[in-house]
Amino acid sequence: MISFELLVAISVYYFVMYATPGPNNSILTASGIKFGFIRTIPNIFGIPTGHGIQLALVCFGLGALFTQFPILLNILKYVGACYLLYLAWKMFGSLNVSSAEDKSTPLKYYEAILFQFVNPKAWVICITAVSLFYPRDENIILGTVFMVVMSTVINIPSISMWALGGSVIRNYLTNEKLKKIIECLLAILLVGTAISIIL
């Protein structure tokens, strides 16, 4: 039986982990600024889909693999950090929201799903959540469904705030100086996130 206390505890944990800065939220903010909220929706839904798959895999025992071979998590850290540094480099001069020749596109649904598998923060969330909150007395299928449903319900509104915030900032990018400042701040945020992943 899943208790009310467990529901509250896992909800608070998920909210804190999903709403705080990290690779997904940095990407969503940049996407909201560059493409607007509507075009960022596939990314918003791809994140909890990929994360739900990760959670299910950890519930079914994949977390033990990371415990047995911690080097795997280190590899993911460096891959994820390199991707964020690449995004930071691409950020400079990229916020031309009205540019006709700009051919860039927001992250697709499947790309957001795939990114979760090299996102070290997502793996840490999964492993910690299963370790602390998995309902041990439940059938493995019901327990896994509980973990994934709770994750998805908390994840979507928590990360949507970042895309929405980015889309609000988008309205002020007609000012060239402000555009440059925002590009620099976003790039610094991505670099900072990459560094925090490695450390």
Side-chain angles (χ1 to χ4, degrees), residues 43-195:
N43 191 350
I44 291 171
F45 284 102
I47 290 168
T49 304
H51 192 61
I53 296 168
Q54 283 178 301
L55 258 174
L57 291 172
V58 172
C59 288
F60 289 129
L62 186 66
L65 192 63
F66 287 104
T67 304
Q68 191 171 355
F69 303 103
I71 192 169
L72 294 175
L73 202 52
N74 288 332
I75 291 169
L76 288 174
K77 283 183 179 182
Y78 289 109
V79 172
C82 287
Y83 182 68
L84 290 174
L85 290 173
Y86 167 74
L87 288 177
W89 175 71
K90 293 265 291 180
M91 182 59 58
F92 290 106
S94 70
L95 299 183
N96 302 315
V97 295
S98 60
S99 175
E101 67 270 7
D102 188 1
K103 300 290 192 294
S104 62
T105 58
L107 218 59
K108 296 178 176 64
Y109 176 71
Y110 74 89
E111 291 172 328
I113 292 172
L114 293 174
F115 176 65
Q116 301 320 299
F117 292 91
V118 294
N119 180 354
K121 182 180 178 183
W123 283 112
V124 169
I125 292 170
C126 289
I127 294 165
T128 307
V130 173
S131 301
L132 295 176
F133 304 111
Y134 188 85
R136 306 291 170 191
D137 297 332
E138 290 292 338
N139 171 290
I140 189 167
I141 301 297
L142 290 176
T144 302
V145 168
F146 166 74
M147 297 296 292
V148 172
V149 168
M150 287 300 297
S151 165
T152 305
V153 166
I154 304 297
N155 198 336
I156 292 173
S158 300
I159 63 176
S160 294
M161 299 184 305
W162 292 82
L164 188 61
S167 66
V168 170
I169 294 170
R170 174 183 171 85
N171 297 323
Y172 300 96
L173 290 184
T174 50
N175 182 316
E176 192 64 26
K177 284 184 180 178
L178 183 60
K179 183 176 86 71
K180 290 293 179 191
I181 291 169
I182 291 171
E183 284 176 354
C184 287
L185 287 174
L186 281 172
I188 290 167
L189 177 64
L190 288 169
V191 171
T193 305
I195 291 168

Side-chain angles (χ1 to χ4, degrees), residues 10-26:
I10 196 170
S11 298
V12 170
Y13 171 76
Y14 278 149
F15 176 75
V16 169
M17 296 308 289
Y18 297 145
T20 51
N24 285 326
N25 292 336
S26 299

